[in-house]
Amino acid sequence: MFEARLTSAATLKKVLEAVKELLNEASFDCSDSGIQLQAMDNSHVSLVSLTLRSDGFDKYRCDRSLTMGMNLASMSKILKCANNDDTVTIKAQDDADTVTFVFESKKQEKISDYEMKLMNLDQEHLGIPETDFSCVIRMPSVEFARIVRDLAQFGETVLICCTKEGVKFSVSGDVGSANVKLAQTNNFDKEEESVSIEMQEPVSLSFACQYLISFTKATPLSPRVQLSMSSNVPLVVEYEIAELGYIRYYLAPKIED
Amino acid sequence: MFQPAITSFFTRK
């Protein structure tokens, strides 16, 4: 028996929004410790890694580990039927070929359930090596989304250069070029608005804008985003999900032809 | 520029 309950369907809706642009379907691996998802996008350029810890749920029970392959468009249709403040419970029997989503309104006057067929997905898991990153940038997630959206208008590739002074995002294309520089702030009063940089050595890497835009669909999950970079390894874009877990996106850097 | 796959950085389990 698997059962996981969240008092706010809004969180699950946001999690789904954060992955469904990159993934058509995904396997949710459920165990005692929580729910995990690891999947590459269709073109195998980026990787999504989601962890929802069991202790972050309002109720969590997983008698036997199970993998639930879900079509994310179908899951999205179902979650649209929930109000943000509904309680949501995800249920499945051991070895089941369906999963059930139960939505309960705050006053319990409306209870709905939606059963969805599970899929057998042949998904391969990748081993992600531990990396000591040369640069770790933390900034407001809304600011990152804004920069990516603004610059993507002018080119397909963004160059991110990080030094101890700050981080520079640059794009060039047919129209011309654009640069956004963010200085490290010492804004101790408003930590949420600060830009902080931990740098071992400077890094310059190029990335496809379209993937960064997809990653920023996670912005509603967290006020902060963390970018971790080292030369010649994938960028990690991480959003913490308060008291529940995190979503990390890995993106292979572009290299010179 | 060339876009490599993520699998060229991470090993398959």
Side-chain angles (χ1 to χ4, degrees):
Chain A
M1 176 76 185
F2 171 78
E3 195 173 333
R5 177 199 292 258
L6 283 171
T7 44
S8 160
T11 307
L12 197 58
K13 287 176 178 233
K14 288 176 193 171
V15 166
L16 187 62
E17 287 301 312
V19 299
K20 81 175 171 68
E21 193 167 287
L22 287 165
L23 313 173
N24 296 330
E25 58 259 329
S27 286
F28 292 78
D29 298 318
C30 308
S31 70
D32 235 11
S33 58
I35 301 175
Q36 288 199 305
L37 177 161
Q38 196 214 70
M40 285 182 279
D41 72 279
N42 290 336
S43 48
H44 290 196
V45 167
S46 68
L47 179 80
V48 182
S49 174
L50 168 74
T51 292
L52 304 174
R53 293 186 309 269
S54 54
D55 60 17
F57 287 85
D58 302 293
K59 182 181 175 190
Y60 191 91
R61 176 182 164 186
C62 184
D63 300 337
R64 255 175 69 186
S65 295
L66 78 160
T67 295
M68 297 193 288
M70 297 197 210
N71 178 298
L72 299 185
S74 305
M75 189 178 169
S76 180
K77 279 182 192 169
I78 291 173
L79 286 181
K80 284 204 170 83
C81 303
N83 287 319
N84 281 341
D85 60 354
D86 282 355
T87 294
V88 55
T89 306
I90 310 167
K91 285 183 189 177
Q93 299 295 328
D94 292 341
D95 299 321
D97 54 6
T98 61
V99 59
T100 302
F101 295 85
V102 181
F103 306 134
E104 294 166 73
S105 63
K106 276 282 166 281
K107 290 178 185 164
Q108 298 268 312
E109 80 281 17
K110 180 180 172 188
I111 299 175
S112 27
D113 66 89
Y114 296 83
E115 192 183 69
M116 183 173 82
K117 289 175 192 157
L118 293 174
M119 307 168 78
N120 265 326
L121 300 173
D122 188 21
Q123 285 198 332
E124 54 186 350
H125 280 68
L126 300 180
I128 301 165
E130 286 284 316
T131 307
D132 286 327
F133 287 98
S134 302
C135 294
V136 177
I137 305 153
R138 295 182 183 87
M139 69 168 89
S141 59
V142 170
E143 183 69 87
F144 178 61
R146 176 73 198 261
I147 291 169
V148 168
R149 190 187 69 200
D150 287 350
L151 295 187
Q153 301 180 99
F154 305 104
E156 290 177 359
T157 304
V158 60
L159 174 68
I160 306 179
C161 300
C162 184
T163 65
K164 63 178 183 298
E165 283 78 31
V167 55
K168 185 169 82 168
F169 301 83
S170 306
V171 167
S172 61
D174 297 341
V175 173
S177 63
N179 297 289
V180 177
K181 288 181 220 167
L182 282 183
Q184 181 161 205
T185 54
N186 295 310
N187 200 341
F188 298 112
D189 293 341
K190 296 178 179 172
E191 202 192 333
E192 289 218 330
E193 294 173 19
S194 68
V195 176
S196 76
I197 296 166
E198 280 172 35
M199 194 206 73
Q200 312 302 323
E201 53 186 317
V203 179
S204 289
L205 288 170
S206 294
F207 300 100
C209 291
Q210 79 177 93
Y211 290 96
L212 297 177
I213 288 179
S214 294
F215 302 167
T216 62
K217 302 299 177 200
T219 304
L221 282 170
S222 175
R224 305 281 292 165
V225 62
Q226 177 174 307
L227 312 180
S228 303
M229 299 200 300
S230 283
S231 292
N232 302 316
V233 302
L235 163 76
V236 188
V237 180
E238 177 173 342
Y239 296 84
E240 208 176 295
I241 307 168
E243 292 165 14
L244 187 58
Y246 60 82
I247 183 161
R248 287 182 190 145
Y249 302 95
Y250 298 83
L251 178 60
K254 285 189 165 185
I255 52 178
E256 294 294 341
D257 285 322
Chain B
M1 295 190 93
F2 173 69
Q3 175 67 70
I6 194 84
T7 43
S8 56
F9 297 92
F10 297 152
T11 49
R12 287 183 164 89
K13 269 186 185 171

